[in-house]
Each structure stands twice: as C-alpha cells, then as structure tokens.
Amino acid sequence: MDPQAFVRLSIGSLGLRIPAAASKSMHAENPASSSSWLCEIRLRGFPVQTTSIPFISSPEFAPDPHNIATCFYLEESDVKALLAPKCFHGSHAYLEIAVSKGRQGFHCGISSKKQQIGTFRLRVGPEWGEGKPVLLHSGWVGIGKDKQEGGKLGPELHLRVKLDPDPRYVFQFEDETTLSPQIVQLQGSIKQPIFSCKFSRDRRAPQLDPINNYWKTTSLGNDQEIERRERKGWKVMIHDLSGSAVAAAFMATPFVPSTGCDRVARSNPGAWLIVRPDACGPDSWQPWGKLEAWRERGVRDSVCCRFHLLSEGGQDSGLLVSEMLISADKGGEFFIDTDRQTPAATPVPSPQSSGDFAAVGAVVGGFVMNCRVQGEGKSSKPLVQLAMRHVTCVEDAAIFMALAAAVDLSIEACRPFGRKSRWGTTRHSI
C-alpha cells in the first residue's frame, strides 16, 4: 500500500504578554483574565479556528513548547493551491493569527464584541511543499500597529508554528455499507481493491459464526414490526482479497427508543463491538474497541459517537479516545486525533502491533484516523484516512474499516423510530 502525501501544520505554545503602558492604552483593565484573550487562526481555503490564549504575567515564564492549540492538515493539492497566486486574494497566501480581547460565544443571542489588538502573519512559502519537517516560527513576536511606538513595547504573542509530513492511507467504500461493497485504496486517480465488506442483519447467530460468543440470538419476526421497537443483529465483516475475515463490527447493545420518546438517548445508547482475529487460534476473535451512539436533540439533531479502545480481553470499560457529534441531516466527520480533542490523551495502539507506544509519548500522537459519512437517508460511501504510522500491515487498516462501517451505520441506527427507514424490507436482509 502506498500512502498519499499530507502535511500537518501545527500552531501551539501560545501566550500573550502586554506591558503595563500598552495595557492602559488598550483599556485592558484586567489583562490577566484567561477567558478574555482569543485568537482567530486563518488559512486560505480552511475554516477559521478560534482558541483562547493564556496571559503571561511573568517575563521569565515561557509557554509549554509541546502544547498544540490547533492543527491544519493539508493535502498536496491544498499546498499547491496556497502557493498559486490568486487575483482576488493578493499575490501570496498567509497564515494569519488575529488576537483580540473578548469572550468567545454568544450572550442572549448576540455575539460578544471583540477588540482586536494585533495580528501575526506568516507567508506560505515553497518549503511548505518539500515534505520535510520545518520550524516556521518559535518565540515571541510583537503584534499591533504600534509595536515599537515611542520606544515602548506593545503586546507580544508567543507561538510555535511547525510543518511536519503526515502521510496517510486513503480508503473508500465503493457503495453503501449495507450493500456489502468493495473497499478500495485511493492513490490519485488509481483505485486499488483492498477489502470487501459483508453486511448482514440476521437476528439468528449461525452456529459456525466465529464471533458467536458475543452474539445474542433472538427469534425472527416481521422486519418492519421489529424495527419499530429495536434495531439489533446488524453485523459487518471485513474480508481481505483472499476472502479471509480480518475484522468485524457488530451490535453488542441494541438500539432502542428511550422511555417516553422515539429516539435512542444518551442514557441508553446502542453499542458496537469492534473485533479482530486473535493470534491464539484461527476462529478466535479479540475485542479491540467499543463504539456507542445515540441521538442528541437540539436546533439541529445530531448523532453522538463515543469510542473506547479496549484493553486486552476487553474486560474493562476501556480508554475514551473520541467523542463527537455528527449532523444527522448533513453527516460529517468522525476522527481520532490527539491534537484536536482532549479525551485522546494517550496514543492509539495499532491493532496487531505490540501497542507499546508509551515510551515515545506524544511523538506518535496527533492524527490517527478520520471517517466522513453522509446524513440520515442519504447514500453514504464512507471515506477513511489513516495515519501511515499506525498501519504496520493490511490487518491494521481492516480494523479501522470495521470502525468506519459502524460509525456510518450508527446514523441509520439512531434514526427516530417513528420514521420509515430508507431500507427495503428485503433489499438488505440476509
């Protein structure tokens, strides 16, 4: 398998210091208030990211160089687009960090006012496309219009901006998960078959099913009648090109409506068990992860997916590595990334490697995987990206395909029970 070139642009080690004279001129009565200082991080073609900046009151203190505030992930085409001159955006692209005073969010439906105090700009250069680690900036820099006016220092921003190569494998399900599609690896315009995906929702456990120990048998009934009360018995098997089963995902806890409503609630989520072959025997399976899902009500309904990495044997609740909302209508992205979310403080072991990443710490952190899925009632062909460093063999990739399939199917499993499914009663039955 050949990876695609990606670049990770990380911005971290943020800090702000303001001399007393400058603080008075900006009417910053309480500059040490950590909730008052924000920065908007902008890069052409990417959504604006907002984060808080800690105020540094001691001149001897420097922010943690390993702290990452935000990251941008750039494909080769993204870098080329940034380096190409644009008539309406000026001749060059910049990374721009605008620092302002004001609280993040809204109050009584009105956005809070922000007083911008300065901007840091870093030009996008040819080194962005060289595929090598580059430290673009590290340390303090003056910001604001009067950085040195009257010989007095103005506000200063501390930051560390770094480029790192972050090669990834990119896979796509060629059809809806429920139609048992092929899974191909994408490399430019080339599609290479890697796996096949077998979906079933038979509520009887075959006696020769290798994961029968985890399977709860039920009596068969009318599909539509059963689907009005619960959704269970769904299973996805991932096979390699030789036809061998190399990973699986199945419903370990049924998706059922909560008392008094027609939706799967946080108090009683449905759950998938993600398993991989056990080296101890040809028909033996080992739990690897558990994905819980439920429906969140709000202005726009969302499906919340929460993933735990299980320990050897799967006897405990496991390590929470990802929890996020996916729009039930538009779909969205599920990801595991230690730089973008706080639950994943520990790197995720590769499924069939030793998993002993503790010794190298944050070096193997960062991006692990993401999966893009469509919303409820829409044809979804999950697109999956995996960090190359977390894939030591084809079987490693397979377990993430099983997880991606479970995320995709959770959108449908969390559909309100009062609504008709887009599935036919026989089209997907096995």
Side-chain angles (χ1 to χ4, degrees):
M1 297 190 300
D2 295 322
Q4 291 193 27
F6 278 75
V7 175
R8 172 178 175 260
L9 174 67
S10 59
I11 300 99
S13 191
L14 292 177
L16 180 69
R17 64 186 182 193
I18 304 175
S23 177
K24 291 179 181 178
S25 67
M26 293 184 299
H27 306 288
E29 297 178 2
N30 184 19
S33 175
S34 60
S35 62
S36 296
W37 301 105
L38 303 171
C39 69
E40 288 186 349
I41 305 173
R42 309 183 186 113
L43 184 65
R44 191 171 72 196
F46 292 84
V48 176
Q49 301 194 34
T50 303
T51 186
S52 60
I53 307 177
F55 185 82
I56 308 299
S57 55
S58 171
E60 293 81 19
F61 181 79
D64 181 2
H66 301 295
N67 179 268
I68 303 296
T70 191
C71 287
F72 293 92
Y73 296 109
L74 289 71
E75 300 181 43
E76 190 174 359
S77 59
D78 296 325
V79 176
K80 289 180 179 179
L82 287 169
L83 291 173
K86 299 290 183 180
C87 297
F88 300 105
H89 294 280
S91 58
H92 301 289
Y94 290 86
L95 170 69
E96 186 175 270
I97 301 176
V99 180
S100 59
K101 178 177 172 58
R103 296 185 180 274
Q104 187 176 5
F106 293 80
H107 179 69
C108 298
I110 303 174
S111 60
S112 55
K113 293 183 178 180
K114 294 179 291 187
Q115 174 194 354
Q116 186 167 313
I117 66 167
T119 302
F120 169 82
R121 299 181 82 203
L122 182 68
R123 180 176 164 178
V124 176
E127 67 276 10
W128 287 50
E130 293 176 355
K132 300 177 182 178
V134 181
L135 184 61
L136 299 173
H137 179 87
S138 182
W140 291 99
V141 61
I143 58 174
K145 294 181 180 179
D146 28 303
K147 301 172 186 175
Q148 297 283 347
E149 188 174 317
K152 296 179 181 179
L153 289 174
E156 292 182 296
L157 175 67
H158 188 282
L159 74 163
R160 188 172 188 267
V161 183
K162 193 171 187 294
L163 283 172
D164 288 290
D166 189 30
R168 302 180 182 184
Y169 297 109
V170 182
F171 301 90
Q172 184 158 35
F173 290 63
E174 289 213 288
D175 210 330
E176 298 177 40
T177 307
T178 55
L179 294 178
S180 301
Q182 263 197 332
I183 301 173
V184 297
Q185 183 188 359
L186 304 181
Q187 181 60 266
S189 60
I190 301 173
K191 293 183 178 181
Q192 179 184 358
I194 298 292
F195 305 108
S196 61
C197 167
K198 180 69 173 178
F199 171 78
S200 66
R201 53 177 180 150
D202 191 345
R203 294 170 183 82
R204 293 174 299 183
Q207 292 183 354
L208 299 179
D209 193 326
I211 53 176
N212 189 44
N213 290 336
Y214 297 107
W215 200 258
K216 295 182 179 179
T217 59
T218 62
S219 59
L220 282 174
N222 179 274
D223 271 359
Q224 287 184 323
E225 194 62 39
I226 292 174
E227 291 284 346
R228 289 194 185 103
R229 303 191 309 269
E230 61 185 1
R231 297 179 183 124
K232 63 181 179 181
W234 299 7
K235 179 174 63 172
V236 175
M237 299 289 292
I238 306 296
H239 300 266
D240 61 18
L241 295 181
S242 71
S244 300
V246 285
F250 65 92
M251 283 184 177
T253 303
F255 285 69
V256 297
S258 185
T259 303
C261 66
D262 68 343
R263 61 187 175 87
V264 181
R266 174 187 286 267
S267 58
N268 187 28
W272 298 81
L273 197 61
I274 317 298
V275 298
R276 60 181 176 86
D278 195 332
C280 296
D283 293 326
S284 181
W285 292 77
Q286 180 71 32
W288 177 71
K290 182 180 181 182
L291 179 74
E292 295 176 305
W294 63 90
R295 190 152 179 128
E296 290 279 4
R297 297 290 294 272
V299 178
R300 293 181 177 87
D301 281 10
S302 300
V303 174
C304 185
C305 291
R306 180 169 61 197
F307 179 67
H308 287 85
L309 190 69
L310 301 178
S311 61
E312 194 75 19
Q315 299 301 317
D316 55 22
S317 58
L319 174 70
L320 177 62
V321 295
S322 183
E323 181 173 335
M324 64 194 54
L325 296 173
I326 299 174
S327 169
D329 177 44
K330 297 181 179 180
E333 181 186 25
F334 171 86
F335 58 81
I336 301 172
D337 188 339
T338 62
D339 290 335
R340 293 174 65 185
Q341 55 194 162
T342 53
T346 303
V348 178
S350 296
Q352 291 202 331
S353 66
S354 66
D356 185 15
F357 289 162
V360 287
V363 175
V364 295
F367 173 80
V368 178
M369 69 93 72
N370 70 13
C371 169
R372 294 186 180 276
V373 298
Q374 295 299 315
E376 175 187 306
K378 298 178 181 178
S379 177
S380 185
K381 301 176 183 179
L383 181 68
V384 185
Q385 296 179 1
L386 301 180
M388 186 182 74
R389 64 183 177 278
H390 289 288
V391 179
T392 60
C393 56
V394 173
E395 289 76 13
D396 285 355
I399 197 70
F400 288 107
M401 297 304 107
L403 173 58
V407 170
D408 182 46
L409 291 169
S410 291
I411 304 297
E412 182 68 19
C414 289
R415 172 180 48 83
F417 284 76
R419 298 181 191 173
K420 291 183 178 180
S421 171
R422 63 186 173 87
W423 296 359
T425 58
T426 59
R427 183 185 179 194
H428 302 282
S429 300
I430 303 297

